[in-house]
Amino acid sequence: MSASNSGKARDNILSRLRSAEPGKLVGAPDIASYYRDRPQPKAEESRRERFIRNATSWRAEIVEASESDWPGKLVQVIEHKRLGKLLVGRNTTIGWTLSALLPPEQLYWYERDLAEIKSDLFDHVDAGISTTLGGVAETGSLLLWPTPAEPRTLSLIPPVHIALLFEDQIVETLHEAMMQNRWSERMPTNLLMITGPSKTADIQRMLVYGAHGPKELVIVLVSRQASPNGESA
Amino acid sequence: MNAPVVIERPGPATPKSVGAAPADTHEKTHRPEDFKLRSHESVNDPNLRSSFRGAMDFLIERRAVHFSDFVAFDQLRKLGEQTRQHALNHLPDLLTQLEAKLTELGVHVHWAETPEDANRIFLDIAKAHDARMMVKGKSMVSEEIELNHVMADHGIDCLETDMGEYILQLDGDRPSHIIMPAIHKTKQDVAEIFHEHIAGAPLTDDVNELIGIGRKALREKFGASKIGVSGVNFMVAETGTIALVENEGNGRLCTSVPDVHIAITGLEKVIEKLEHLIPLYALLPKSATGQAVTTYFNLITGPRRAGERDGPREMHLILLDNGRTQAYREERFRATLQCIRCGACMNHCPVYTRVGGLSYGTTYPGPIGSIISPHLVGLKSTRDLPTASSLCGACGEVCPVGIPIPEMLMKLREAGRHSVSQSMTPPTQALVGQGEVRLLAEVLAWKGWRLLYSHALLYRLFAWFASRLRFLTPAWQGGWTQSRAPLKPAPKSFRDRLKERNHSPR
């Protein structure tokens, strides 16, 4: 490869940058105090309500569930949308749950290298079902931290993406999620913030869902505090 | 008024939709030297005018929803500006930090001084993998180096996958806006383009169906391509993370499915900390399309790790200079590099809205293009661009990172017309094309003016003749008389009138 050329280019570029006129000094931006000082979200709306309001405004469908009934609600979504093949990660919350509830031929386990299963993923799978790292209330977004069990294309290639989100993992802002969990010290190969299904307005500014990614995004929102009758609060 | 120039498109005769014809002017040259000619054609093209006006009004309104509270906007903007300035202040150190981090992650980092360097790097990688095809996410820097054309010359098919860019590539056209590349196309145009170029595509102007056709055609390509190409919105020095902002998902596909991912970017896009992404991502989509967030905010940190089942096995980052170090050299031009490519300045520019993006003949159109292009391709060929502004200031007001665009335009006007020694504020080193925009007639006119205005006797003599020979002034006075009455000296000079008044009895 052009390593030596690139090396010479590197030296030239860096020496030009280093010999530049010094700029007026600006300190590092203080992002934490920006978030601390700005107006806080309205108290009359709960974080959960805010998440739902924002997520649905981006055309995500929300299915509210409790810790006990989410598997049933998830199966209802699958049946209601008449989803056939489901792409699922082995040894995940979703994998264990669905293998107990659905016929084995309906589950397509993401357990091989993408190169071997590309055509299945692009053409023969109806939905990808994934867990999430959390949600962001301010924008109604999901946070995904793909793993070997749930690779990044699980939430990307199938036409429908169903995501499982636990209510207590919703934070207010992306900044909060980033700082609380010290992302900068342990970035995965891919980290995603996803807000609604994929979309485009490239033809005459008309909004169309399902550009290259999923056409539909369903969020199964699991409440942690189940009320006595088993319904979410 | 000139009639719009229509060039017939070769190929099968498909029925032209209403309003499609003038859009074909793109088959002419695309050079900044032709700015005046092309903008003249554009302002006389009612279809182009109305499509740009409509699109810009739409984008202006959508942005305004998010920034209705000026104080809140200004606070966020100051944070964004500071983030970019802080990064630029430490640019060489951040680049080496980024390089070290990426190398540690297993990413190949390449440095390119020119577009030729960058294209050679692409070719070398393609050769090493025997790749005949690349799928590409939206990248303005790849447009800057004319990647598609150069790859095509070497038998490599570089396929655009952003819907707008894909439409333009099929039609052999160019983007006219950095965020909405195909805004100059109507859905009828797209219908014809798809019908003509995609096998089996029915002729339909239903936008949902059209997107479906594009989606299907491109999905086959993502799976078949060995190399995926992307741009970069931001890159983080401390973690070696590349951030991509998009709605369609093609950027994710290009960087997840092929075995090799090549990212190309201008070297100014680096920021120090992961946390610094926050204000910039908060500003970018709101300023660009008036959305609070995009569908995907995709953070990529190195190639596939052991045990992972997807993602590229090999990853490259190409850092392009191409004139950016010139903009960096002096503090007064450095803010040019703060840009996060949102396009708000073009959306709000009265000139851009009227002449459209293609008139500029450069990769980056509009106000930001007018201040960055002179560094990329020199002041001479871009001579008209810094003057394509009424200096109304809208671009500077809406810029989410506080670039003083109007001031930069004026500095570039000066740099074009004055050599280093003639400059009022001389640069330490001449810019490429410094002083080359000078016109002999203009220079002579100013020399004459200076002579007259610094010698009292000469001035009086001139005034005496001018007022008496005023009937000789020509009716045609260049650009001035295009839309104004000709200038004519007054029958009596101000001095004479004042003298008369003082002497005449009241």
Side-chain angles (χ1 to χ4, degrees), chain B residues 109-131:
Chain B
V109 180
H110 308 264
W111 302 69
E113 290 189 88
T114 62
E116 293 73 36
D117 287 354
N119 282 313
R120 201 164 40 241
I121 295 163
F122 271 102
L123 278 176
D124 287 346
I125 300 167
K127 246 180 232 156
H129 292 275
D130 196 24

Side-chain angles (χ1 to χ4, degrees), chain A residues 183-208:
Chain A
W183 285 0
S184 63
E185 293 166 19
R186 52 191 196 104
M187 282 298 277
T189 43
N190 194 209
L191 203 164
L192 295 153
M193 179 155 107
I194 299 179
T195 316
S198 92
K199 59 182 180 287
T200 183
D202 272 356
I203 303 178
Q204 277 196 348
R205 316 194 303 275
M206 290 187 222
L207 190 59
V208 176

Side-chain angles (χ1 to χ4, degrees), chain B residues 280-302:
Chain B
L280 301 179
Y281 183 62
L283 285 161
L284 176 57
K286 294 187 189 99
S287 302
T289 52
Q291 297 171 291
V293 277
T294 51
T295 302
Y296 302 115
F297 188 37
N298 181 9
L299 305 178
I300 300 166
T301 309

Side-chain angles (χ1 to χ4, degrees), chain B residues 64-104:
Chain B
V65 170
H66 294 281
F67 296 135
S68 56
D69 178 349
F70 179 76
V71 176
F73 167 61
D74 203 45
Q75 275 170 352
L76 185 58
R77 164 160 71 177
K78 287 216 168 80
L79 196 64
E81 180 182 0
Q82 192 188 353
T83 304
R84 291 297 299 134
Q85 279 179 351
H86 171 74
L88 289 177
N89 270 338
H90 302 94
L91 185 59
D93 295 337
L94 292 183
L95 285 171
T96 50
Q97 186 189 354
L98 175 78
E99 182 187 39
K101 190 70 207 176
L102 286 171
T103 309
E104 186 190 313

Side-chain angles (χ1 to χ4, degrees), chain A residues 47-62 134-143 165 170-174 193-197 217 219, chain B residues 292-295:
Chain A
R47 184 175 284 185
R48 174 197 177 90
E49 287 163 347
R50 195 157 39 253
F51 176 83
I52 294 174
R53 176 171 56 82
N54 286 317
T56 48
S57 79
W58 294 109
R59 184 111 26 132
E61 293 170 49
I62 304 278
V136 178
E138 183 187 44
T139 51
S141 313
L142 296 173
L143 298 170
L165 172 65
I170 300 176
V171 291
E172 198 54 50
T173 63
L174 175 63
M193 179 155 107
I194 299 179
T195 316
L217 173 65
I219 301 171
Chain B
V293 277
T294 51
T295 302

Side-chain angles (χ1 to χ4, degrees), chain B residues 448-497:
Chain B
W449 182 86
R450 192 163 67 181
L451 195 71
L452 290 176
Y453 278 71
S454 54
H455 295 83
L457 203 64
L458 262 182
Y459 177 81
R460 272 179 230 168
L461 202 63
F462 172 77
W464 191 90
F465 275 108
S467 55
R468 275 152 192 86
L469 301 177
R470 60 196 289 270
F471 63 92
L472 289 177
T473 45
W476 181 86
Q477 295 171 359
W480 180 263
T481 42
Q482 260 173 23
S483 50
R484 300 179 195 84
L487 294 169
K488 209 170 195 182
K492 274 181 189 164
S493 75
F494 178 71
R495 285 177 68 91
D496 289 343
R497 292 180 62 173

Side-chain angles (χ1 to χ4, degrees), chain A residues 1-2 5-10 12-14 16-32 34-35 38-39 58 110-115 118 121-123 139 141 144 146-159 174-176 178-179 183-215, chain B residues 54-55 58 75-76 79 82-83 85-86 89 91-93 95-96 99 109-113 120-121 124-125 128 161-164 167 180-182 185-188 190 207-208 210-211 215 218-219 222-223 238-239 241 247-250 252-253 255-257 267 274-276 278-279 281 291-305 307-313 316 321 325 328-331 334:
Chain A
M1 235 156 272
S2 45
N5 280 338
S6 180
K8 191 166 147 267
R10 176 186 190 277
N12 291 344
I13 289 169
L14 285 175
R16 281 201 290 275
L17 293 177
R18 290 225 156 89
S19 63
E21 192 178 274
K24 77 169 187 288
L25 273 183
V26 234
D30 185 355
I31 290 147
Y34 169 80
Y35 277 95
R38 71 174 190 157
W58 294 109
Y110 203 142
E111 55 189 354
R112 279 185 290 161
D113 198 286
L114 173 65
K118 245 185 225 173
L121 256 55
F122 274 104
D123 302 323
T139 51
S141 313
L144 264 73
T147 58
E150 289 186 340
R152 62 184 93 173
T153 45
L154 174 66
S155 63
L156 175 63
I157 300 177
L174 175 63
H175 185 250
E176 194 182 323
M178 189 180 270
M179 301 316 279
W183 285 0
S184 63
E185 293 166 19
R186 52 191 196 104
M187 282 298 277
T189 43
N190 194 209
L191 203 164
L192 295 153
M193 179 155 107
I194 299 179
T195 316
S198 92
K199 59 182 180 287
T200 183
D202 272 356
I203 303 178
Q204 277 196 348
R205 316 194 303 275
M206 290 187 222
L207 190 59
V208 176
Y209 287 92
H212 293 292
K215 297 175 183 182
Chain B
F58 169 81
Q75 275 170 352
L76 185 58
L79 196 64
Q82 192 188 353
T83 304
Q85 279 179 351
H86 171 74
N89 270 338
L91 185 59
D93 295 337
L95 285 171
T96 50
E99 182 187 39
V109 180
H110 308 264
W111 302 69
E113 290 189 88
R120 201 164 40 241
I121 295 163
D124 287 346
I125 300 167
T161 61
D162 173 270
M163 285 293 177
I167 292 163
M180 308 191 86
K185 294 270 191 260
T186 61
K187 60 183 178 180
Q188 289 84 2
V190 179
V207 174
N208 271 297
L210 287 170
I211 295 296
R215 174 185 170 100
L218 286 168
R219 274 170 87 84
F222 288 116
E238 71 166 343
T239 56
T241 299
N247 282 315
E248 293 189 0
N250 64 312
R252 282 186 69 193
L253 284 164
T255 58
S256 305
V257 178
L267 50 78
L274 192 68
E275 193 192 3
H276 296 175
I278 301 281
Y281 183 62
Q291 297 171 291
V293 277
T294 51
T295 302
Y296 302 115
F297 188 37
N298 181 9
L299 305 178
I300 300 166
T301 309
R304 184 190 298 209
R305 293 177 199 166
E308 292 182 341
R309 300 198 165 99
D310 63 5
R313 293 169 198 279
H316 299 263
D321 177 355
T325 46
Y328 187 78
R329 192 164 67 209
E330 282 184 64
E331 205 189 353
R334 197 168 297 158

